[in-house]
């Protein structure tokens, strides 16, 4: 098949506003197994959004945007149900920013001839296709953004802020998580920032500018996110998948304690995953296990073992249609971080002792 025939049917993004799933979730709560777990998880997610003192941190792993989940995340941002995001680079750069530049993901075939796809510069994510030639434009755009910044060390949050500013100037009508978060002062952290298209663009930038260039400091990410934990006090985690984002955001409790603060464990925690706990890996480790490390409270926690493109829209739809977000005030953590106020150790210590 010709390339244009393979890249024909676009992946469409879900709109949780169109279907009120609250009655379905409530019925699932009267059943068993993962249906009942999902219902309890949805109730915990709604509780953290309804808590006026809680900062809600969303983590994203796996391939979510390419699978039609961007609209779900945008709706959560637009109803102030998310205060910070910790993600893999693929979701934020290769997929969301990629689409904001005007490109799309396409429905494909998991049984396709991958060698034939490679020869046509088509990348496959299970049953989804991406045009590699377009993806390289995304890589190049990251290099262009890096070239415009003052040489120095940046957190991924600061660089993604610059990506949001780029979109606001060049693609102001894009349906984009990066752009929406930029406009709403919601910080996005990507701890493994080089492990995506951003890495290719930044390598090219540093090769051209070997002595004065932009570099990304993951420790700065960790410090900034720890500062949010110290200042926020009560925190809730909504974790889609596992991986680096899950561990990174859980560890900020320990980081705050190591700095001498009396930081409470995450009071709310939900994880949607297909990973198995029995191999000892992080992605499948239970939230009860995280309690032994002093990271997550057992008061309101729930694991749901199910594929996220099924469970996430249902949970988010429940939160949206329950409507408890309507009284919620934005936290504007990105603005507070940019001001430097959150990183003032003396001020943070005084705040934590209140």
């Amino acid at each position: 098949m010709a390339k244009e025939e393979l890249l024909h049917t676009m992946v469409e993004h879900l709109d949780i506003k169109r279907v009120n799933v609250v009655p379905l979730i409530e019925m699932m709560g009267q059943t068993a197994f993962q249906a009942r777990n999902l219902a309890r998880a949805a109730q915990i997610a709604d509780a953290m959004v309804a808590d006026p003192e809680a900062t809600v941190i969303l983590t994203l792993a796996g391939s979510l945007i390419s699978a039609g989940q961007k609209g779900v995340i945008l709706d959560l941002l637009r109803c102030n149900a998310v205060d910070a995001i910790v993600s893999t680079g693929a979701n934020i750069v290769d997929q969301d920013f990629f689409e904001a530049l005007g490109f799309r993901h396409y429905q494909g075939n998991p049984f396709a001839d991958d060698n034939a796809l490679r020869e046509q510069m088509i990348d496959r994510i299970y049953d989804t296709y991406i045009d590699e030639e377009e993806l390289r434009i995304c890589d190049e755009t990251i290099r262009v953004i890096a070239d415009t910044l003052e040489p120095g060390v940046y957190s991924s949050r600061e660089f993604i802020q610059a990506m949001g500013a780029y979109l606001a100037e060049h693609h102001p009508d894009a349906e984009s998580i990066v752009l929406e978060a930029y406009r709403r002062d919601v910080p996005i952290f990507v701890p493994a920032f080089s492990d995506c298209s951003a890495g290719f663009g930044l390598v090219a930038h540093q090769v051209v500018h070997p002595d004065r260039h932009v570099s990304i400091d993951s420790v700065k990410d960790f410090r900034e996110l720890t500062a949010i934990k110290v200042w926020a006090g009560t925190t809730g985690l909504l974790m889609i998948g596992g991986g680096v984002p899950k561990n990174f955001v859980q560890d900020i409790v320990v980081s705050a304690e190591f700095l001498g603060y009396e930081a409470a464990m995450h009071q709310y925690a939900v994880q949607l995953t297909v990973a198995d706990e029995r191999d000892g890996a992080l992605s499948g480790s239970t939230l009860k296990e995280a309690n032994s490390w002093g990271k997550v409270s057992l008061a309101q926690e729930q694991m749901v073992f199910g594929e996220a493109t099924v469970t996430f829209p249902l949970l988010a739809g429940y939160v949206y249609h329950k409507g408890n977000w309507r009284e919620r005030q934005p936290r504007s953590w990105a603005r507070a971080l940019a001001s430097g106020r959150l990183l003032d150790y003396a001020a943070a210590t005084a705040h934590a002792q209140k």
Side-chain angles (χ1 to χ4, degrees):
M1 294 178 67
K3 185 171 185 176
E4 58 269 20
E5 293 179 277
L6 290 167
L7 303 180
H8 179 267
T9 305
M10 291 184 290
V11 171
E12 301 295 342
H13 292 285
L14 293 173
D15 183 356
I16 58 174
K17 301 185 297 300
R18 292 176 56 184
V19 181
N20 184 353
V21 298
V22 171
L24 173 63
I25 296 296
E26 290 177 345
M27 286 189 289
M28 291 168 70
Q30 303 303 313
T31 61
F33 311 141
Q34 297 312 306
R36 192 161 73 204
N37 285 345
L38 178 59
R40 185 169 186 272
Q43 292 164 357
I44 292 171
D46 185 52
M48 70 174 88
V49 169
D51 186 340
E53 302 299 322
T55 283
V56 179
I57 305 174
L58 173 68
T59 78
L60 306 171
S63 185
L64 297 169
I65 313 308
S66 66
Q69 304 302 301
K70 179 173 67 175
V72 179
I73 299 164
L74 285 173
D75 283 333
L76 291 177
L77 284 169
R78 287 166 179 163
C79 64
N80 291 324
V82 172
D83 302 306
I85 296 174
V86 182
S87 179
T88 57
N91 279 307
I92 297 302
V93 184
D94 302 49
Q95 298 178 20
D96 178 76
F97 188 73
F98 170 81
E99 289 199 354
L101 297 178
F103 307 125
R104 293 297 300 267
H105 295 85
Y106 298 89
Q107 294 182 29
N109 182 353
F111 306 107
D113 182 339
D114 289 299
N115 187 59
L117 294 178
R118 180 184 57 79
E119 290 176 350
Q120 298 191 68
M121 296 190 77
I122 296 174
D123 302 326
R124 181 171 69 86
I125 305 174
Y126 184 57
D127 61 355
T128 304
Y129 295 156
I130 309 168
D131 188 334
E132 172 65 24
E133 293 177 282
E134 294 176 347
L135 200 54
R136 293 192 182 187
I137 295 173
C138 181
D139 304 341
E140 173 62 15
T141 305
I142 294 297
R143 184 195 65 78
V144 168
I145 293 171
D147 285 348
T148 66
L149 296 176
E150 187 69 24
V153 178
Y154 292 77
S155 66
S156 68
R157 192 268 313 167
E158 291 173 309
F159 193 90
I160 294 166
Q161 190 90 350
M163 291 165 58
Y166 177 90
L167 292 178
E169 180 179 354
H170 299 283
H171 301 275
D173 298 324
E175 285 285 290
S176 163
I177 296 164
V178 170
L179 180 57
E180 195 70 28
Y182 169 77
R183 288 173 170 163
R184 292 179 176 274
D185 287 317
V186 173
I188 300 176
F189 298 89
V190 175
F193 196 58
S194 295
D195 187 26
C196 66
S197 276
F200 303 130
L202 288 174
V203 165
H205 162 75
Q206 292 191 2
V207 167
V208 175
H209 306 282
D211 299 320
R212 299 184 73 252
H213 54 251
V214 167
S215 60
I216 305 299
D217 183 356
S218 65
V219 176
K220 196 172 184 181
D221 281 333
F222 202 24
R223 184 184 176 194
E224 290 186 352
L225 200 55
T226 299
I228 289 177
K229 173 59 186 172
V230 171
W231 284 87
T234 302
T235 46
L237 306 181
L238 176 52
M239 295 174 284
I240 315 305
V244 171
K246 174 187 176 182
N247 198 53
F248 203 76
V249 77
Q250 287 188 359
D251 275 352
I252 60 176
V253 177
V254 181
S255 176
E257 290 179 342
F258 189 72
L259 291 175
Y261 302 110
E262 292 187 12
M265 290 185 288
H266 296 297
Q267 296 302 111
Y268 307 90
V270 166
Q271 185 185 2
L272 312 180
T273 185
V274 292
D276 193 319
E277 67 174 301
R278 292 172 296 181
D279 62 1
L282 182 279
S283 290
S285 64
T286 65
L287 298 172
K288 289 182 171 62
E289 182 180 315
N291 177 259
S292 75
W293 293 76
K295 300 175 182 179
V296 174
S297 168
L298 295 180
Q300 297 200 70
E301 58 82 22
Q302 183 64 56
M303 300 283 293
V304 181
F305 294 96
E307 206 269 301
T309 59
V310 177
T311 57
F312 183 37
L314 290 171
L315 181 145
Y318 179 87
V319 171
Y320 180 84
H321 288 282
K322 286 294 285 186
N324 287 314
W325 50 268
R326 289 189 172 87
E327 301 300 320
R328 204 163 189 273
Q329 298 300 311
R331 303 297 192 263
S332 301
W333 289 117
R335 187 187 312 166
L337 285 167
S339 73
R341 178 174 60 90
L342 297 195
L343 301 180
D344 184 323
Y345 185 81
T349 300
H351 175 80
Q353 290 174 347
K354 289 182 179 178

